[in-house]
C-alpha cells in the first residue's frame, strides 16, 4: 500500500493524535546577532551598548513603508528606552526571524499538497517551514502580525534582566523597579542601560517575559491635525541629506560597474554582438554573455552602458505577444472558458435565476516601476559569494544565486540593503542570479544596475483580468442585490509566482506548471464586503503568454475596482443614493459602516447626484475582525484641462494604530499610487515589447497632479493591520465613480483613460 505524506498527516490530524513527521517538531534557533565592541546581545532582537545605545535587528525589507521605525518603536516602548538612543541594523538571514503568518497564507505556493488540510496542520507546517527555510519575506502586510509580539517579548525580557541587575545592586526586588527613558530607577536610585547592560546580559531571561499591560498604541487624530510625531522615522534624516545607503551606493576595493542588456521578450536568445564596436571606449573590464543577456563591466557604469550600445547585441525574438492578442484570449475565455468555483456563500450560484444587470470590467497589466531599478553588488572569491542586495525574500534570493553558480547556499552571504520602492518587484531575484554569474566570471567585485528599459522589459506586471459581474435584484426592496456572481478570466498569477520564488523555475517553466490551474489568490477580494444572500466567484485560468507577478494591491485591485463600480451602476439604475445603498448592504460590519460615514463627512458628500463630481468606494482586505477597512470619496471637477480629481477623502480602520504618522503616510502613498493606476497611461505590448520604456511614458502623477488628500483613522481595538495596500485599491473605483458623476460616462477599463474619455 502506498503511503503519502499528505495521507499520513491527514490521518494523524483527523485522529487527534500526534503528528509524527519529524519536520513538524518545534525547533529553536541560536541567536544570530553578533556583538560589536562594547555591546551586549539580548536575544535575537536587540543589543545594548555600554553607552546606552539600543540596536534593534529588523528582519524585513525597508522599502519606504517605515518598518525600520515600527519594529524599533515597539522594542523601545516595551523596553522602556528613550527614542533618541535607538539604532537599527538589518537582521541576518535566520530561522529566528521566521515570518510564520505569511508562510501560512502562502502555503499553497510552497507546498500545495498540504494547503487547507486543516487549520492546525497549516499552522504547524508554516511554523516548521518558515523556521527551517529561514523564510522572513516582506509581503502582504504581515510585518506586524509576524513580529510585533516577538519584539515585545524580547524587549520585555531585556527590561526584566536590566531591572534584576539594578535590583541586585540596590538590595530590592526587581519587580519594584521602574524602567523608562533609558534608565532603571527605584526611589532615589538610578542607573542607565549602559551601566547595567554587561552584567544584565548574564541573567537568564524570564519565561514568560513580563509584558507591559497595554501594547503600543497611538490615538487617531483629526484629518487636518498638525503636530510632531511621537516616534519620528529613523530613516528620514539620512534620506533627506542623501547619506542613506542603497545597493547602488556600495563601494568595494577594486569594484567594477556592470551594465546589462536583456532580450526584448521572455525567451529571447542572444544571437550575436559586435565586440569591436566598443574598442574605442576606455575603462572596459570584461564582457559576460549568457543565453538571454549580455553584460559589460567597466570602471564606470556609463562606460559600460556606452559599450553595450556600441556592441549592438542582436536577439532571436521569441513569444512576440501583443496586447491585442492578450485581450483576445481574455475576451474569448471570459465567456467560453472552463470556470472553477473559488468561493460560494449563502445559496451560492443556484440562487441566481436571472441576471437583472450584468457588466464587464477590464483591467490591463499594471507595472510596479519602483524608482530604484534592480541593483546589487557582489564579490566572489574562494568559492564564496558576498551579495549586497535589496530583496523581499532574502533566503530565496540566496538559494537562487547559489544554484546559478554551483555553490552551496551556506557559501552565500547576503547583506540586506533597503530598496528605493518596490511594490513587490523585489520579490523577484533575476538580478541576483545575473550578478552572481558576472562576479564569478570576472573574479572582481562588481556592481550591477539595470537601466529603466530593462526594468520594464523584465518586469512581471500585475496580471490583467477581465471580470464579468451579474446580479439578481429584488423586485420589492428597491433594487437590493439578491444574488451576485463574478467570473474572473486571468492568469494563475500567484501560483506562477510561487513556482518562480520557491521552485526556482524560469518564467516559462512556471507558466507551463500553472496552465489550466485555478488560483484562489487571483480572486482575493472577489467576495464583496456586503452581506448578500448569495455569492459565487469563479476563476477562468488563462495562459496569456506573458509572465506576470505581484504589484501593490495584487488581486484586490481588479476585484475591488469591478465590485465598487458595479455597485455604483446598480445604484444608478435603481435610482438609489450610493452611500445609503451601500450602508443598507453592510449588515453587521459596523467598522466599515463607520468608515463610510466618516469619509462622507470629510468630503462633504452631497448624495452623488448627477454632475456633482463625487464618487465613493469601500474596501476590506480579507475576512474577519482583523481585516483592515477603508472608505474613500473622490471629488472631480471640470476645468480648462478637462476633468480633474481635486480631492480624495478617506476614513480608515486598521485596528490598533502603532505609529499614526507612518500609517497616514502609507494611506497617502497608496492613494497616489491608485491615482497612477486609475489615470496613468496603459503599457501596450507590441511584438512582446512594452511600448513604454521610461518613467515619462507611464503618465504617473506628479506633485502638481496630486489632489488634496484628507485622511482620518477610526479608533479600534482590533489587531493592528498594514495600511499599505488600502489606498492603492480603493482610489481607482472611487475615481471612476466620481468621473461618472461629473461626466455621465461610465469607464469600465483600467487605466480609466485607456480608450479616451
Amino acid at each position: 500500500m502506498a503511503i503519502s505524506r499528505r495521507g499520513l498527516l491527514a490521518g494523524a490530524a483527523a485522529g487527534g493524535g500526534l503528528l509524527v513527521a519529524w519536520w513538524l517538531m518545534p525547533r529553536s534557533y541560536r541567536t544570530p546577532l553578533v556583538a560589536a565592541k562594547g555591546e551586549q546581545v539580548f536575544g535575537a532582537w536587540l543589543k545594548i551598548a555600554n553607552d546606552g545605545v539600543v540596536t534593534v535587528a529588523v528582519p524585513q525589507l525597508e522599502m519606504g513603508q517605515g518598518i525600520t521605525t515600527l519594529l524599533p518603536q515597539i522594542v523601545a516602548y516595551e523596553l522602556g528606552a528613550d527614542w533618541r538612543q535607538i539604532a537599527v541594523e538589518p537582521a541576518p538571514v535566520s530561522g529566528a526571524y521566521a515570518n510564520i503568518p505569511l508562510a501560512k497564507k502562502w502555503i499553497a505556493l510552497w507546498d500545495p499538497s498540504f494547503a487547507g488540510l486543516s487549520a492546525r496542520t497549516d499552522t504547524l507546517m508554516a511554523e516548521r517551514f518558515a523556521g527551517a527555510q529561514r523564510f522572513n519575506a516582506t509581503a502582504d502586510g504581515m510585518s506586524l502580525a509576524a513580529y510585533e509580539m516577538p519584539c515585545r517579548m524580547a524587549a520585555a525580557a531585556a527590561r526584566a534582566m536590566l531591572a534584576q541587575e539594578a535590583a541586585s545592586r540596590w538590595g530590592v526586588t526587581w519587580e519594584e523597579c521602574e524602567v523608562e527613558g533609558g534608565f532603571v530607577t527605584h526611589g532615589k536610585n538610578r542607573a542607565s542601560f549602559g551601566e547595567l547592560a554587561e552584567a544584565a546580559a548574564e541573567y537568564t531571561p524570564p519565561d514568560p517575559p513580563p509584558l507591559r499591560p497595554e501594547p503600543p498604541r497611538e490615538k487617531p487624530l483629526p484629518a487636518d491635525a498638525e503636530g510632531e510625531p511621537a516616534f519620528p522615522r529613523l530613516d528620514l534624516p539620512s534620506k533627506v541629506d542623501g547619506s542613506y545607503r542603497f545597493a547602488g551606493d556600495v563601494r568595494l576595493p577594486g569594484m567594477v560597474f556592470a551594465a546589462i542588456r536583456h532580450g526584448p521578450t521572455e525567451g529571447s536568445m542572444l544571437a550575436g554582438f559586435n565586440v569591436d564596436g566598443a574598442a574605442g571606449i576606455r575603462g572596459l573590464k570584461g564582457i559576460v554573455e549568457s543565453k538571454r543577456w549580455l553584460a559589460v563591466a567597466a570602471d564606470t557604469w556609463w562606460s559600460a552602458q556606452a559599450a553595450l550600445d556600441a556592441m549592438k547585441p542582436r536577439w532571436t525574438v521569441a513569444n512576440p505577444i501583443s496586447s491585442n492578442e492578450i485581450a483576445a484570449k481574455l475576451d474569448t475565455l471570459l465567456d467560453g472558458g472552463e470556470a472553477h468555483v473559488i468561493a460560494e456563500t449563502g445559496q451560492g450560484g443556484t440562487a441566481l435565476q436571472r441576471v437583472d444587470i450584468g457588466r464587464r470590467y477590464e483591467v490591463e497589466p499594471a507595472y510596479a516601476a519602483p524608482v530604484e531599478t534592480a541593483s546589487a553588488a557582489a564579490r566572489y572569491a574562494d568559492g564564496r559569494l558576498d551579495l549586497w542586495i535589496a530583496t523581499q525574500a532574502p533566503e530565496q534570493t540566496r538559494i537562487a544565486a547559489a544554484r546559478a553558480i554551483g555553490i552551496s547556499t551556506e557559501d552565500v552571504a547576503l547583506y540586506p540593503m533597503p530598496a528605493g520602492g518596490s511594490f513587490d518587484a523585489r520579490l523577484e531575484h533575476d538580478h541576483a542570479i545575473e550578478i552572481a554569474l558576472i562576479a564569478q566570471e570576472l573574479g572582481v567585485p562588481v556592481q550591477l544596475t539595470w537601466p529603466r528599459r530593462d526594468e520594464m522589459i523584465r518586469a512581471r506586471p500585475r496580471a490583467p483580468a477581465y471580470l464579468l459581474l451579474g446580479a439578481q435584484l429584488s423586485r420589492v426592496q428597491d433594487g437590493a442585490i439578491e444574488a451576485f456572481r463574478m467570473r474572473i478570466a486571468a492568469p494563475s498569477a500567484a501560483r506562477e509566482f510561487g513556482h518562480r520564488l520557491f521552485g526556482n523555475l524560469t518564467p516559462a517553466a512556471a507558466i507551463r506548471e500553472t496552465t489550466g490551474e485555478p488560483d484562489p489568490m487571483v480572486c482575493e477580494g472577489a467576495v464583496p464586503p456586503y452581506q448578500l444572500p448569495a455569492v459565487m466567484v469563479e476563476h477562468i485560468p488563462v495562459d496569456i503568454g506573458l509572465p506576470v507577478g505581484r504589484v501593490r494591491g495584487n488581486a484586490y485591485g481588479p476585484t475591488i475596482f469591478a465590485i465598487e463600480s458595479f455597485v455604483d451602476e446598480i445604484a444608478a439604475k435603481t435610482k438609489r443614493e450610493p452611500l445609503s445603498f451601500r450602508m443598507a448592504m453592510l449588515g453587521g460590519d459596523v467598522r466599515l459602516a463607520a468608515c463610510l460615514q466618516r469619509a462622507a463627512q470629510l468630503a462633504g458628500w452631497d448624495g452623488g447626484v448627477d454632475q456633482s463630481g463625487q464618487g465613493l468606494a469601500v474596501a476590506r482586505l480579507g475576512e474577519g475582525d482583523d481585516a483592515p477597512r477603508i472608505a474613500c470619496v473622490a471629488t472631480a471637477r471640470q476645468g480648462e484641462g478637462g476633468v480633474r480629481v481635486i480631492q480624495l477623502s478617506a476614513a480608515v480602520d486598521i485596528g490598533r494604530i502603532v505609529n499614526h504618522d507612518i500609517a497616514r503616510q502609507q494611506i497617502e502613498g497608496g492613494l497616489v499610487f491608485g491615482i497612477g493606476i486609475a489615470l496613468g497611461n496603459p503599457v501596450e505590448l507590441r511584438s512582446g515589447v512594452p511600448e513604454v520604456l521610461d518613467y515619462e511614458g507611464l503618465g504617473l502623477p506628479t506633485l502638481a497632479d496630486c489632489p488634496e488628500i484628507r485622511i482620518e483613522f477610526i479608533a479600534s481595538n482590533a489587531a493592528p493591520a498594514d495600511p499599505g495596500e488600502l489606498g492603492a485599491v480603493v482610489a481607482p473605483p472611487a475615481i471612476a465613480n466620481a468621473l461618472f458623476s461629473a461626466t455621465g460616462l461610465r469607464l469600465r477599463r483600467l487605466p480609466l483613460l485607456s480608450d479616451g474619455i
Side-chain angles (χ1 to χ4, degrees), residues 449-539:
T449 303
W450 285 8
R452 179 61 58 187
R453 167 196 177 276
D454 290 71
E455 180 79 23
M456 292 298 298
I457 285 176
R458 299 299 296 169
R460 281 76 194 245
R462 186 180 69 191
Y466 279 21
L467 307 97
L468 188 61
L469 280 64
Q472 177 176 307
L473 306 181
S474 171
R475 292 173 175 171
V476 296
Q477 296 183 21
D478 297 326
I481 301 174
E482 292 182 333
F484 171 87
R485 179 179 181 182
M486 180 190 290
R487 291 167 60 91
I488 304 172
S492 297
R495 291 188 182 276
E496 182 185 325
F497 158 75
H499 282 296
R500 289 198 304 269
L501 183 67
F502 298 111
N504 207 34
L505 297 188
T506 65
I511 291 174
R512 287 195 298 270
E513 287 291 324
T514 57
T515 298
E517 285 191 3
D519 188 346
M521 290 180 69
V522 168
C523 302
E524 285 185 317
V527 175
Y530 306 106
Q531 187 172 310
L532 305 180
V535 172
M536 184 168 75
V537 176
E538 299 170 302
H539 177 218

Side-chain angles (χ1 to χ4, degrees), residues 496-724:
E496 182 185 325
F497 158 75
H499 282 296
R500 289 198 304 269
L501 183 67
F502 298 111
N504 207 34
L505 297 188
T506 65
I511 291 174
R512 287 195 298 270
E513 287 291 324
T514 57
T515 298
E517 285 191 3
D519 188 346
M521 290 180 69
V522 168
C523 302
E524 285 185 317
V527 175
Y530 306 106
Q531 187 172 310
L532 305 180
V535 172
M536 184 168 75
V537 176
E538 299 170 302
H539 177 218
I540 304 165
V542 183
D543 177 3
I544 62 172
L546 176 73
V548 292
R550 295 174 57 86
V551 172
R552 190 176 193 175
N554 294 295
Y556 286 103
T559 56
I560 290 174
F561 168 69
I563 289 170
E564 288 302 294
S565 296
F566 188 54
V567 168
D568 232 54
E569 295 206 52
I570 295 174
K573 177 177 179 177
T574 58
K575 302 188 185 314
R576 295 286 301 273
E577 189 270 326
L579 173 63
S580 60
F581 184 56
R582 286 174 168 82
M583 290 291 293
M585 294 190 294
L586 285 176
D589 196 336
V590 178
R591 295 172 62 194
L592 189 54
C595 290
L596 191 53
Q597 290 177 320
R598 186 60 188 139
Q601 292 169 354
L602 287 172
W605 174 256
D606 61 4
V609 295
D610 290 346
Q611 306 301 310
S612 76
Q614 288 193 320
L616 58 81
V618 301
R620 184 181 67 203
L621 271 56
E623 301 295 328
D625 291 339
D626 293 340
R629 293 152 165 86
I630 188 170
C632 178
V633 176
T635 304
R637 292 286 183 266
Q638 186 78 35
E640 292 183 2
V643 180
R644 180 184 177 89
V645 178
I646 63 167
Q647 186 181 75
L648 292 175
S649 303
V652 190
D653 186 337
I654 57 169
R656 172 169 48 86
I657 301 171
V658 176
N659 187 304
H660 189 278
D661 191 52
I662 288 178
R664 184 190 294 272
Q665 292 171 21
Q666 283 288 283
I667 298 296
E668 288 176 346
L671 290 170
V672 174
F673 192 94
I675 293 171
I677 293 290
L679 302 177
N681 298 330
V683 179
E684 297 288 337
L685 294 173
R686 298 199 184 280
S687 299
V689 182
E691 285 189 325
V692 173
L693 295 175
D694 55 32
Y695 245 35
E696 183 180 5
L698 291 171
L700 300 178
T702 65
L703 285 176
D705 300 318
C706 292
E708 176 190 3
I709 296 177
R710 305 187 71 202
I711 298 167
E712 195 163 295
F713 291 92
I714 306 296
S716 175
N717 290 319
D722 180 80

Side-chain angles (χ1 to χ4, degrees), residues 136-469:
N136 65 330
T138 309
D140 267 0
M142 293 292 182
S143 295
L144 285 175
Y147 299 116
E148 182 187 31
M149 188 52 69
C151 282
R152 289 190 65 197
M153 293 176 70
R159 170 167 46 82
M161 294 160 72
L162 292 166
Q164 287 170 348
E165 170 57 21
S168 71
R169 298 182 183 186
W170 302 330
V172 299
T173 60
W174 71 269
E175 292 88 351
E176 296 178 86
C177 296
E178 299 289 335
V179 186
E180 292 292 342
F183 291 90
V184 181
T185 60
H186 181 272
K188 295 182 179 180
N189 295 316
R190 188 171 188 257
S192 70
F193 285 2
E195 295 174 64
L196 301 168
E198 186 172 357
E202 300 299 322
Y203 283 78
T204 299
D207 185 16
L211 295 174
R212 294 186 186 275
E214 287 294 321
R217 178 194 305 271
E218 291 189 0
K219 293 182 179 179
L221 300 174
D224 302 316
E226 299 288 343
E228 293 295 323
F231 295 90
R233 287 185 66 140
L234 295 177
D235 57 344
L236 189 58
S238 57
K239 285 182 175 177
V240 171
D241 67 23
S243 61
Y244 199 71
R245 291 171 62 83
F246 297 91
D249 298 315
V250 172
R251 295 294 181 268
L252 301 170
M255 175 179 279
V256 299
F257 300 86
I260 197 166
R261 186 71 50 84
H262 297 91
T265 62
E266 182 64 41
S268 297
M269 305 287 284
L270 181 62
F273 56 93
N274 178 18
V275 69
D276 295 332
I281 298 175
R282 296 182 179 180
L284 294 187
K285 302 298 183 182
I287 299 171
V288 181
E289 58 179 296
S290 174
K291 292 188 299 183
R292 305 193 188 280
W293 49 265
L294 177 67
V296 176
D299 55 11
T300 70
W301 185 86
W302 296 106
S303 295
Q305 184 71 7
L308 270 177
D309 292 338
M311 291 163 64
K312 300 185 184 326
R314 304 182 306 278
W315 311 90
T316 58
V317 177
N319 190 35
I321 193 79
S322 70
S323 292
N324 288 338
E325 291 173 290
I326 292 174
K329 288 183 178 181
L330 292 168
D331 181 62
T332 299
L333 292 178
L334 180 64
D335 294 323
E338 181 183 0
H340 302 264
V341 176
I342 299 299
E344 283 190 283
T345 66
Q347 302 173 48
T350 59
L352 190 68
Q353 300 298 313
R354 65 181 189 277
V355 177
D356 295 317
I357 180 171
R359 295 291 186 268
R360 169 173 146 160
Y361 303 89
E362 301 173 0
V363 179
E364 297 192 7
Y367 287 75
V371 174
E372 180 193 31
T373 60
S375 180
R379 176 175 54 207
Y380 179 80
D382 302 324
R384 178 180 174 84
L385 179 71
D386 294 315
L387 184 60
W388 290 262
I389 192 170
T391 171
Q392 292 178 244
E395 182 64 5
Q396 285 62 46
T397 298
R398 288 180 70 219
I399 292 169
R403 289 180 180 175
I405 57 177
I407 63 175
S408 166
T409 303
E410 301 309 312
D411 289 323
V412 177
L414 189 148
Y415 302 92
M417 303 298 294
S422 176
F423 316 123
D424 280 353
R426 298 301 165 242
L427 281 166
E428 306 286 351
H429 46 238
D430 302 57
H431 58 308
I433 294 171
E434 293 165 358
I435 198 171
L437 291 166
I438 294 168
Q440 184 184 55
E441 178 73 16
L442 297 180
V444 296
V446 61
Q447 185 177 92
L448 172 68
T449 303
W450 285 8
R452 179 61 58 187
R453 167 196 177 276
D454 290 71
E455 180 79 23
M456 292 298 298
I457 285 176
R458 299 299 296 169
R460 281 76 194 245
R462 186 180 69 191
Y466 279 21
L467 307 97
L468 188 61
L469 280 64

